[in-house]
């Protein structure tokens, strides 16, 4: 199991490019961005703030913690929970390649 997890972490440049294309292709579907926006809006405010600071503002975990005045561990927890919620929602599964 550990070996499988490690191989998922270390992907080739080809597979990274393929993953980068998934959101673009999914966003081309009618209403795709609106559905994503609706799911993100439904997140708890704390999770939404961390998610947007990380992926929209491109801040590091430490920078997010400093900005919000919370420990880095709390940032990681909130980000993890937000991503889990997005992965579980059927409207956003295509963004995660599931």
């Amino acid at each position: 199991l550990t070996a499988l997890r490690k191989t998922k972490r270390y992907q080739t440049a080809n597979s990274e490019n393929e993953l980068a294309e998934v959101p673009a292709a999914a966003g081309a579907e009618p209403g795709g961005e609106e559905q994503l926006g609706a799911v993100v809006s439904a997140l708890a405010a704390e999770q939404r703030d961390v998610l947007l600071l990380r992926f929209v503002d491109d801040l590091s975990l430490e920078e997010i913690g400093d900005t919000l005045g919370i420990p880095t561990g709390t940032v990681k927890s909130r980000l993890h929970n937000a991503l889990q919620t997005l992965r579980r929602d059927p409207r956003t599964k295509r963004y995660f390649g599931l």
Side-chain angles (χ1 to χ4, degrees):
L1 290 175
T2 303
L4 286 174
R5 280 188 222 123
K6 285 184 180 181
T7 58
K8 288 181 183 179
R9 282 188 215 155
Y10 302 108
Q11 298 175 349
T12 63
N14 254 352
S15 62
E16 288 176 7
N17 291 337
E18 290 171 8
L19 290 176
E21 293 174 10
V22 170
E29 295 178 19
E33 291 177 10
E34 293 161 0
Q35 288 180 350
L36 179 61
V39 174
V40 170
S41 297
L43 290 172
E46 295 86 9
Q47 293 177 359
R48 185 176 52 248
D49 292 344
V50 170
L51 185 79
L52 294 176
L53 287 171
R54 179 70 181 118
F55 295 109
V56 175
D57 296 331
D58 199 31
L59 296 179
S60 70
L61 299 177
E62 292 78 19
E63 291 171 330
I64 295 169
D66 292 342
T67 301
L68 298 177
I70 58 176
T72 304
T74 304
V75 173
K76 290 178 184 181
S77 172
R78 289 179 183 177
L79 184 60
H80 172 78
N81 291 333
L83 290 173
Q84 284 297 101
T85 301
L86 292 177
R87 282 187 187 105
R88 285 188 205 122
D89 194 296
R91 297 174 289 181
T92 58
K93 283 192 184 266
R94 66 178 166 253
Y95 293 101
F96 293 96
L98 300 173

